[in-house]
Amino acid sequence: MKVGIIGGGSIGLLVAGRLGKKHDVTLFTRTENQANQINRAGGIEIKGIHPVYTACTAEMLTRSKVLAAQELLIVTVKQGAIDEILPYIQDVEVPLLFLQNGMSHLKKLDCLHSETVYVGITEHGALRDNETTTIHTGIGAVRIGLYRGKRREGLFDQEIPEFPIEEVRDIYPRLIEKLIANACINPLTAVLGVKNGELITNPYFRQVLSDLCEEVCRGLGIEERRHHEFLEKIVLICERTADNKSSMLRDIEMQRKTEIESILGFCFEEANGRNQKMILASALYAMIRGLEESGECEWKTYLQA
């Protein structure tokens, strides 16, 4: 099957490198330089877990015949870039799959002409090493579900042991579960400057994590009896990824714009609709915005003073 991957970040490279073993993959990048480097290298290298080299082609994202000729397009760019790539895929008729953190992007997908739109989550950890290489840092799952339109048979039947894709009947609960984890782990690790595992080994950090989970769950209208269930899932993620840095912490360290708006924005909207205050989450949001403006180096200097 012809599969197009839109976005050459850590996850885009990982998805292209894994799916390229079973499918004819084209990676559509946001820059011509990255496309040229991948084509010169002849493909993508995955380091870390299950290292592999996968042959594939790449081209800069345009309204090309190659884009329209794909049998499946997987969008892996961060939420902040969704508006930028929508014009290129708005009129395509092939099935689309969106893999992003958060849920703020869902309302933007109604403009698409495709009859089949899937959304999903990926629990894999990945870190881009360079334009052609990604490091697979953590094994997880990719779960997808139909967001709108007609389900297409056989799209995700090809089994890849190192990268299984599970299609679920109702994706919304999985999106909420991932959203809560991201809303708790990402801002805390970014503000504190710690790896995921420290959120549960440090008793003070763990208490803040627990309080934040309670607040986010209330804002999303989740029954109180289930709050501890979500906290346990977050703790499990922190245990499994103890030595990993969250994507938001890495963004701060690299002085890049974070996904704080797309992750907490949806939570704030839901909480406002229920007249629920999110004091702790709002404070973290403001701190992340401050970190984006001041730069990570200045923040660390301030903490160490």
Side-chain angles (χ1 to χ4, degrees):
M1 181 168 64
K2 291 183 177 180
V3 178
I5 312 297
I6 299 177
S10 57
I11 295 298
L13 290 171
L14 179 66
V15 173
R18 294 302 185 203
L19 296 190
K21 287 300 178 182
K22 296 284 186 177
H23 302 284
D24 180 8
V25 167
T26 301
L27 184 66
F28 295 92
T29 65
R30 294 167 65 194
T31 67
E32 187 175 3
N33 176 59
Q34 185 180 17
N36 289 339
Q37 288 200 38
I38 291 171
N39 288 328
R40 281 197 296 268
I44 293 166
E45 182 180 6
I46 297 177
K47 296 180 179 178
I49 301 170
H50 301 303
V52 69
Y53 173 84
T54 305
C56 79
T57 58
E59 66 172 67
M60 186 175 172
L61 181 63
T62 60
R63 294 181 180 87
S64 69
K65 293 181 179 179
V66 178
L67 185 71
Q70 303 303 305
E71 296 171 84
L72 171 66
L73 286 171
I74 304 178
V75 181
T76 66
V77 300
K78 291 184 177 181
Q79 279 208 35
I82 289 290
D83 289 335
E84 180 184 335
I85 62 97
L86 279 178
Y88 298 103
I89 61 174
Q90 184 172 345
D91 296 328
V92 301
E93 298 180 358
V94 301
L96 294 162
L97 167 61
F98 289 81
L99 296 175
Q100 279 75 40
N101 286 327
M103 296 174 64
S104 299
H105 65 295
L106 297 183
K107 57 188 175 184
K108 299 178 180 180
L109 307 186
D110 293 335
C111 70
L112 299 170
H113 292 179
S114 173
E115 291 186 345
T116 303
V117 179
Y118 289 89
V119 295
I121 59 171
T122 174
E123 298 169 358
H124 291 273
L127 177 64
R128 193 172 83 164
D129 191 34
N130 55 51
E131 300 281 49
T132 66
T133 307
T134 191
I135 304 171
H136 199 170
T137 59
I139 287 287
V142 178
R143 296 186 176 91
I144 66 166
L146 188 65
Y147 172 72
R148 192 198 71 198
K150 301 177 181 179
R151 181 181 179 276
R152 294 288 185 92
E153 296 290 340
L155 276 182
F156 308 102
D157 290 348
Q158 192 73 262
E159 292 187 7
I160 302 173
E162 299 84 6
F163 202 74
I165 298 177
E166 176 190 359
E167 186 174 354
V168 299
R169 184 179 298 275
D170 186 3
I171 192 62
Y172 188 81
R174 307 300 181 98
L175 294 174
I176 288 291
E177 183 179 315
K178 181 71 182 297
L179 174 65
I180 294 172
N182 282 328
C184 293
I185 295 172
N186 275 275
L188 274 181
T189 54
V191 167
L192 296 171
V194 300
K195 294 180 179 180
N196 295 354
E198 292 186 59
L199 292 184
I200 56 175
T201 57
N202 184 304
Y204 301 104
F205 296 168
R206 183 159 183 155
Q207 184 58 57
V208 176
L209 180 67
S210 177
D211 294 342
L212 181 58
C213 181
E214 284 280 336
E215 185 177 88
V216 172
C217 285
R218 286 198 304 270
L220 293 173
I222 293 170
E223 298 174 334
E224 188 171 349
R225 63 181 178 82
R226 297 193 62 206
H227 291 185
H228 188 68
E229 170 190 332
F230 283 95
L231 179 60
E232 287 181 336
K233 291 178 180 178
I234 291 171
V235 169
L236 182 60
I237 291 172
C238 289
E239 289 175 347
R240 289 176 174 172
T241 62
D243 292 328
N244 290 359
K245 292 181 179 181
S246 71
S247 59
M248 193 169 291
L249 174 55
R250 292 200 301 265
D251 285 340
I252 291 297
E253 289 179 338
M254 298 298 293
Q255 298 187 22
R256 298 185 301 231
K257 184 177 176 61
T258 72
E259 292 185 281
I260 191 67
E261 185 68 46
S262 57
I263 291 174
L264 283 183
F266 182 86
C267 298
F268 290 149
E269 289 180 8
E270 292 292 305
N272 288 338
R274 296 180 173 85
N275 294 317
Q276 289 283 345
K277 293 183 178 180
M278 298 187 70
I279 298 172
L280 182 53
S282 296
L284 288 168
Y285 176 89
M287 283 186 259
I288 294 295
R289 284 300 193 207
L291 287 172
E292 289 178 335
E293 293 177 7
S294 65
E296 187 266 343
C297 293
E298 292 183 24
W299 178 252
K300 278 195 170 179
T301 300
Y302 173 75
L303 284 178
Q304 294 166 358

